[in-house]
Amino acid sequence: MNTRIVSDPATGAAPGIEPAEFRDRRARLLASLTDNDVAIVSGASIRYRNRDTEYPFRQDSDFYYLTGFEEPDSVLVLAPGAEPGAAVLFCPERDPAREQWTGERLGPERAPQALGVDAAFAHSELDKILPRILDGRWCVHTVLGEYPKFDQRLIESASTARARGANVGGCEFRPLQRLLHEQRLFKSPAEQGLMAAAADITARAHIDAMRHCLPNLSETQLEAVLVHAFMQGGARAAAYPSIVAGGRNACVMHYVRNDSLLRDGDLVLIDAGCELQHYASDVTRTFPVNGVYTPRQRELYEVVLAGQAAALEAAVPGAHCTAPQDAADRVLTEGLIDLGLLAGGIDEALATGTYQRFTVHRCSHWLGIDVHDVGEYRRDGKWRALEPGMVLTIEPGLYIPDGPDFDDVDEAWRGMGIRIEDDVLIEESGNRVLTESVPKAVQDIEALMQGAHR
Ligand code: GLY
Ligand code: MN
Ligand code: MN
């Protein structure tokens, strides 16, 4: 098979997850199943963008987490004590004629050795073999709803098993999320290394974008700087559609058109992160197109920056996962009152939520193989505590759109959107900001941009 380039050309480091770690992840999941259980995880299939042109293939996150295997149309079955073995993979068959078009396939013959699964079969055998594995299994743990056609095949396999007299009892379907996503929430040292590497590539991309930014450049051209840096760093793709939003476009939360001109005197908000070997980074910076904040932009920016600092300070082990949000809300609300954008006192504003028209979104989410990563925020009806190994974003923002709903706000503030977002690993001793190297203090951003080409 081809050797894939996964190293960071800048450092020579080649972070990655070893096959043994994928085996260990499966073993941990298997250990939480009884002999009457089976866990079934479908990989992703190719999707079409238009006619016969495919979207770039991205493996299903749960499937990738458990296998490290990137081929489409594959299925992992984990069944303690099953006849072919506890970890069984179904994957595409070798087919030289087809491989001339698609590239080399691993094939079921080589999968046990390459991936450490106990047995592997052609995907075309799934409907024959799965009913046999389901014999004697009362409970199927799976993620329903993601791939409806696959869900249907599972249900049919269960009813085939029953029709053959298999001892499946009521064959109950349960969400796999509870078991698997709790596991994914805690990042191993190798995952932490990979996420730090993704964060470094993304940090360089944001710094490059600040250096290249000039009035009358288009948002598309600034996005090209990000894409270039991601790929130069060894990442194949962005973890989510990059947001490059000049001026009032920053008030649209998921602005991805990125096709306007960047105007002298405006801010530009960039929310972009690369995906490195399936792990996401997610960073936002908001800076002046011409390299110098206006006094008003600076005033609002400093409020968001102070809110983010408070949230970062609150993101420590033992704190509720809402502690960063609460800390940011207080500081942002105080700032809004000080700037005359909110009436009343702080306690009243916090209690009634009047500040939320300016904050719009929550200030944090888990980060991992998915940008909005899996894992429960509440357990047994309570917000859970932050623990070492969790990775989350801290991303407060303030948005003052230029629309009719905001015509009570002084015009001078309208059309501004500011967000500052970093990726944070919770450690025993506090936290580590993985994306710290992207400047965010006003003077640091201005110095960087002015040093670049002005
Ligand atoms: N880029 C998506 C987010 O910040 O949540
Ligand atoms: Mn983001
Ligand atoms: Mn985010």
Side-chain angles (χ1 to χ4, degrees):
M1 309 270 304
N2 292 338
T3 307
R4 293 177 57 243
I5 301 167
V6 292
S7 66
D8 173 346
T11 63
I17 310 285
E18 298 291 332
E21 182 162 334
F22 292 105
R23 269 203 302 277
D24 177 57
R25 294 171 181 178
R26 293 192 294 270
R28 283 167 56 208
L29 184 54
L30 274 162
S32 59
L33 302 177
T34 73
D35 287 353
N36 292 323
D37 290 332
V38 57
I40 303 178
V41 184
S42 175
S45 297
I46 285 170
R47 295 181 215 217
Y48 289 89
R49 179 181 184 277
N50 57 299
R51 200 160 156 79
D52 58 352
T53 303
E54 299 164 2
Y55 281 109
F57 179 72
R58 166 52 154 83
Q59 187 54 279
D60 175 85
S61 297
D62 286 332
F63 182 86
Y64 182 80
Y65 176 80
L66 290 169
T67 63
F69 186 52
E70 296 197 62
E71 292 183 26
D73 296 325
S74 303
V75 176
L76 178 70
V77 179
L78 297 177
E83 171 45 39
V88 179
L89 182 79
F90 294 86
C91 64
E93 289 175 89
R94 301 292 313 272
D95 176 349
R98 184 112 199 94
E99 286 177 25
Q100 189 164 19
W101 292 86
T102 60
E104 191 175 338
R105 294 291 189 213
L106 181 64
E109 302 78 13
R110 296 190 290 180
Q113 167 71 21
L115 303 172
V117 291
D118 299 314
F121 301 97
H123 185 261
S124 54
E125 298 214 70
L126 181 75
D127 296 331
K128 191 170 89 201
I129 294 172
L130 191 55
R132 294 214 297 265
I133 298 177
L134 289 178
D135 187 2
R137 310 276 159 183
W138 288 78
C139 182
V140 178
H141 297 260
T142 194
V143 174
L144 289 172
E146 188 77 23
Y147 308 111
K149 283 192 188 144
F150 182 74
D151 297 347
Q152 190 57 36
R153 284 178 80 180
L154 277 190
I155 291 163
E156 279 165 20
S157 281
S159 67
T160 305
R162 274 199 293 276
R164 286 187 193 151
N167 174 27
V168 289
C171 212
E172 180 185 340
F173 281 71
R174 281 203 201 155
L176 180 62
Q177 287 91 323
R178 197 88 213 259
L179 303 175
L180 181 57
H181 293 179
E182 185 65 12
Q183 211 174 305
R184 278 180 55 188
L185 180 55
F186 293 89
K187 276 59 181 182
S188 70
E191 288 177 298
Q192 292 172 21
L194 206 39
M195 293 188 73
D200 284 346
I201 295 168
T202 294
R204 280 200 294 277
H206 279 262
I207 291 169
D208 283 357
M210 286 178 191
R211 287 206 171 109
H212 279 84
C213 189
L214 278 175
N216 298 322
L217 211 63
S218 72
E219 294 166 343
T220 308
Q221 288 170 306
L222 205 52
E223 183 180 2
V225 175
L226 300 166
V227 172
H228 182 265
F230 290 167
M231 290 192 154
Q232 281 293 333
R236 290 287 287 122
Y240 53 92
S242 302
I243 297 169
V244 181
R248 60 196 290 184
N249 295 338
C251 297
V252 178
M253 292 308 115
H254 288 165
Y255 177 80
V256 289
R257 290 180 58 131
N258 301 357
D259 61 357
S260 299
L261 276 189
L262 295 165
R263 293 187 329 179
D264 203 353
D266 275 353
L267 294 173
V268 56
L269 179 155
I270 295 184
D271 182 346
C274 74
E275 180 178 278
L276 183 65
Q277 294 185 54
H278 298 82
Y279 284 81
S281 50
D282 182 7
V283 171
T284 308
R285 289 291 183 269
T286 311
F287 54 92
V289 169
N290 65 14
V292 183
Y293 291 84
T294 66
R296 207 172 275 273
Q297 288 167 349
R298 186 177 177 145
E299 278 185 290
L300 199 64
Y301 185 89
E302 295 285 11
V303 172
V304 180
L305 190 61
Q308 203 220 19
L312 286 169
E313 206 171 307
V316 291
H320 277 177
C321 63
T322 52
Q325 175 84 52
D326 296 341
D329 285 349
R330 175 165 285 274
V331 173
L332 295 181
T333 304
E334 281 168 352
L336 289 166
I337 293 169
D338 289 347
L339 294 178
L341 287 160
L342 263 189
I346 176 78
D347 292 333
E348 182 200 338
L350 287 172
T352 55
T354 47
Y355 64 94
Q356 286 168 357
R357 72 191 290 229
F358 298 106
T359 57
V360 186
H361 56 80
R362 297 193 61 79
C363 118
S364 197
H365 57 79
W366 306 133
L367 184 69
I369 300 180
D370 290 305
V371 64
H372 295 157
D373 206 31
V374 295
E376 292 173 322
Y377 293 90
R378 294 173 76 90
R379 301 214 96 187
D380 307 320
K382 295 199 198 90
W383 294 113
R384 70 189 302 162
L386 295 174
E387 295 177 59
M390 293 173 163
V391 180
L392 66 160
T393 66
I394 298 287
E395 50 176 307
L398 288 175
Y399 309 90
I400 312 178
D402 200 8
D405 290 350
F406 284 78
D407 56 12
D408 57 313
V409 176
D410 182 346
E411 198 179 348
W413 291 109
R414 297 208 299 254
M416 250 197 279
I418 295 173
R419 176 162 68 255
I420 305 171
E421 174 174 28
D422 283 296
D423 302 345
V424 178
L425 167 66
I426 304 297
E427 295 183 318
E428 298 283 351
S429 56
N431 69 47
R432 179 152 63 100
V433 180
L434 302 177
T435 46
E436 201 162 41
S437 61
V438 197
K440 58 188 169 188
V442 164
Q443 64 277 18
D444 293 344
I445 290 177
E446 290 187 345
L448 175 77
M449 293 185 73
Q450 281 154 33
H453 45 61
R454 291 173 180 81

